[in-house]
Amino acid sequence: MTEEQDARKLYADIIDLPRPVNKRRKHIPPAERAAQFAPFAALSGYDEMVQEEARLTEGKTDLSEYELEELNRTLQALLERLRDGEHPFVSVSYFLPDSRKAGGSYRTVSGRVREIDPAGQRLLLFGSERIEDRRVPPIEIPFRELLVLNEEAAPFSTAE
């Protein structure tokens, strides 16, 4: 005789009875019953904190005296061209500090120079390929974050 047959014989008097129902408490539907077994996040925000900590940032490299002089010469030349009414096309590499942790990332953007503000120590590029499009905010790069500034030939554009 198998174990199952032994159990049926042992509990023969109750095995086919209907399931007991509590009259004081209503029956919980299966969907609500499953909710009580849903995972519980005891440490809310912990996963986000771990992801933020794992996100890598880079340290900023300082420019040499020669590189600083070259950058200043390029800014002066661009400032003269702006005074002549031109908006030269440049490629700019700069360091973008991270707002949440130490370090940051290096970025490179290309665009037309909108303004060089010596007093505010910043370079502004047009935010759009079309100079007359004022809806797109300018790209602002502080002088202290500049690494490389190269004047380039403008890509073909119908805006000019």
Side-chain angles (χ1 to χ4, degrees), residues 85-97:
E86 296 180 50
H87 293 283
F89 192 84
V90 295
S91 175
V92 183
S93 294
Y94 64 101
F95 182 77
L96 181 65

Side-chain angles (χ1 to χ4, degrees), residues 111-131:
R112 293 201 174 278
V113 177
R114 177 177 176 175
E115 179 184 346
I116 295 176
D117 180 8
Q121 296 286 300
R122 63 194 181 135
L123 169 71
L124 289 140
L125 301 180
F126 284 100
S128 170
E129 285 294 315
R130 296 170 43 125
I131 291 176

Side-chain angles (χ1 to χ4, degrees), residues 13-26:
D13 58 330
I14 62 169
I15 204 154
D16 292 322
L17 291 176
R19 182 176 168 273
V21 177
N22 188 337
K23 296 190 182 0
R24 285 182 272 156
R25 291 189 171 173
K26 68 177 187 163

